[in-house]
Amino acid sequence: LHRLTIVAGLATLAASCRSGSDAPPARPETPAQREAQSFLDRYEARYRALYAASSEADWASQTHIVEGDETNGNRLKAANEASAAFTGSVENITAARAWLKRANELTETQKKQFEAVLFKAASNPQTIADLVKRRIAAEAKQTETLYGFTFHLDGKEITPNEIDDGLRTEKDLAKRRAVWEASKQVGPALRPGLVELQKLRNETVQALGYRDFFTYMVSEYGMTTDEMAAKVQQFNRELRPVFKELHTWARYELAKRYAQPVPDQIPADWLPNRWGQGWDALVDVPGFDLDAAVGKKGPVWTIEQAERFYVSLGFPSLPKTFWEKSSLYPVAKDSGYKNNTHASAWHIDLDRDVLSLMSVEPNQEWYETTHH
């Protein structure tokens, strides 16, 4: 997407580059702690190697999607299966459980690391290896379906960037509705796989005692599902006064823009974002046009300014490999392949190899979201 909020993404990349200078944790002192650390060091080395292989395969599957070509998908499945076989191995589960029974002999960091070993194992337990493989295959298929999908409007192909442009600028409600509906065409294609994936994910984590996949994911925050639900409700209650004012303003502003009666609820296709996430395009300041200024500089300059912002805060410059390996710009329509059009930051090897996947086009909204 060229309508990006990539501040967090670039911050993640910069922080990843910086992590090498962080002070190491305290060294283990007792024989038990040294023995535990030996296991954790071996686990980490193997995990990082498998993680990097999986990340590289995932990167290829999301940046070079060719309809009918299963090469990248098969490579991703193989890499993920290898990672799953290690993280979910009976040996690692048994060892982590045994050490956690001796938690009073461990450092606090070691205790958290063994808990993390069990958490990773829960989504890949090799006691049900066939089920894990089916889940991995289902996830790979969903990725290819989602990011390789071709959107159409009035019988012609339309890109995600063009969809976003239409929702940001189109004033004719009938045309807006058509663009918004085009953006939802992927739903029916994804639904069967999502239903199957929900089932497989639930069954996988149930093998290690979780009620369902949601319970498993929430546990990473040290919370139950009820506690998480209560926290979300708390956020909603506290934000309601502000949201109510914003929602009221938006209803009147949009009604005026489209010459319609003020609605009680905002129609989804009235909003300038296909997911209703960003409303900033509702604000139009006469005489304030950054598109013209930023557009003249080009997309490379635009990304460089985002990097300069973080360097000014004390982060190091991005590594050379970031510029060599990242997928930063829209793929040409005649390229013969597609890529994932959702912006994301990638920490390929959990060390210095950091990449970004974007489809940058220089404009005011991109500039604002990377500098505020």
Side-chain angles (χ1 to χ4, degrees):
L1 303 177
H2 68 291
R3 313 298 179 197
L4 300 176
T5 305
I6 66 161
V7 175
L10 283 176
T12 298
L13 296 178
S16 299
C17 295
R18 197 182 198 182
S19 62
S21 62
D22 293 342
R27 294 180 63 82
E29 297 179 353
T30 68
Q33 290 172 0
R34 288 193 288 272
E35 183 182 352
Q37 194 60 48
S38 178
F39 172 88
L40 290 169
D41 289 344
R42 293 194 303 273
Y43 180 97
E44 179 187 7
R46 182 59 177 156
Y47 175 79
R48 287 179 61 165
L50 291 168
Y51 181 94
S54 180
S55 295
E56 292 281 6
D58 197 11
W59 176 263
S61 73
Q62 295 199 38
T63 57
H64 199 278
I65 302 169
V66 179
E67 186 175 358
D69 186 350
E70 299 182 354
T71 303
N72 285 334
N74 290 336
R75 179 189 172 197
L76 177 59
K77 283 188 287 186
N80 285 346
E81 286 175 3
S83 181
F86 172 73
T87 59
S89 70
V90 175
E91 292 80 7
N92 284 332
I93 293 172
T94 302
R97 284 175 168 170
W99 277 111
L100 286 172
K101 288 180 180 179
R102 302 168 60 186
N104 62 320
E105 301 178 53
L106 304 173
T107 68
E108 189 60 29
T109 297
Q110 288 175 333
K111 179 176 176 292
K112 291 178 179 178
Q113 288 175 319
F114 278 115
E115 289 172 347
V117 169
L118 280 185
F119 179 81
K120 294 184 182 301
S123 64
N124 302 303
Q126 292 305 290
T127 52
I128 50 169
D130 289 342
L131 183 62
V132 171
K133 287 183 178 181
R134 287 168 54 201
R135 192 212 71 222
I136 290 172
E139 289 172 339
K141 184 177 180 181
Q142 284 299 97
T143 296
E144 292 177 350
T145 301
L146 175 60
Y147 300 132
F149 188 82
T150 301
F151 298 90
H152 289 88
L153 178 65
D154 297 329
K156 298 180 180 179
E157 182 177 342
I158 183 173
T159 69
N161 277 358
E162 290 169 339
I163 288 174
D164 293 337
D165 281 334
L167 292 177
R168 189 170 70 95
T169 61
E170 181 59 63
K171 298 295 178 66
D172 184 286
L173 283 180
K175 292 181 179 179
R176 289 189 63 83
R177 181 72 181 182
V179 172
W180 184 85
E181 289 181 345
S183 76
K184 305 304 174 184
Q185 292 169 355
V186 68
L190 289 172
R191 188 180 188 282
L194 285 175
V195 172
E196 176 66 9
L197 190 54
Q198 177 193 39
K199 175 177 176 292
L200 292 172
R201 282 177 169 172
N202 285 339
E203 291 177 349
T204 299
V205 298
Q206 285 166 355
L208 257 67
Y210 293 92
R211 184 177 65 189
D212 50 41
F213 191 72
F214 182 63
T215 304
Y216 165 70
M217 295 301 293
V218 169
S219 72
E220 190 172 18
Y221 296 88
M223 303 172 72
T224 66
T225 54
D226 288 341
E227 289 170 339
M228 177 63 79
K231 180 61 67 175
V232 171
Q233 289 300 318
Q234 176 190 339
F235 291 154
N236 288 337
R237 286 193 303 271
E238 293 175 352
L239 292 173
R240 180 172 175 76
V242 175
F243 181 75
K244 186 176 181 181
E245 292 295 324
L246 176 61
H247 191 273
T248 300
W249 174 84
R251 287 189 293 118
Y252 278 82
E253 179 68 20
L254 289 166
K256 180 172 65 176
R257 175 175 297 190
Y258 302 129
Q260 297 292 315
V262 178
D264 292 330
Q265 296 180 329
I266 301 175
D269 54 295
W270 283 23
L271 293 171
N273 179 282
R274 51 184 149 147
W275 301 288
Q277 292 172 319
W279 294 12
D280 49 302
L282 296 179
V283 180
D284 184 14
V285 181
F288 185 74
D289 182 14
L290 279 178
D291 277 3
V294 177
K296 293 177 182 178
K297 298 291 186 178
V300 176
W301 177 89
T302 307
I303 299 174
E304 290 174 343
Q305 304 321 297
E307 181 191 22
R308 285 182 60 191
F309 172 76
Y310 287 101
V311 171
S312 74
L313 297 179
F315 288 103
S317 298
L318 290 165
K320 183 180 179 182
T321 51
F322 171 84
W323 301 99
E324 294 173 340
K325 296 171 59 179
S326 290
S327 178
L328 301 173
Y329 314 109
V331 174
K333 290 185 177 180
D334 61 354
S335 64
Y337 69 93
K338 298 179 181 179
N339 70 350
N340 175 354
T341 56
H342 293 266
S344 53
W346 294 63
H347 198 175
I348 297 292
D349 63 350
L350 300 179
D351 189 15
R352 303 279 175 168
D353 193 357
V354 291
L355 305 178
S356 185
L357 172 57
M358 298 187 277
S359 296
V360 175
E361 293 177 357
N363 54 61
Q364 176 179 332
E365 187 170 340
W366 192 92
Y367 184 88
E368 290 174 347
T369 55
T370 56
H371 287 71
H372 293 281

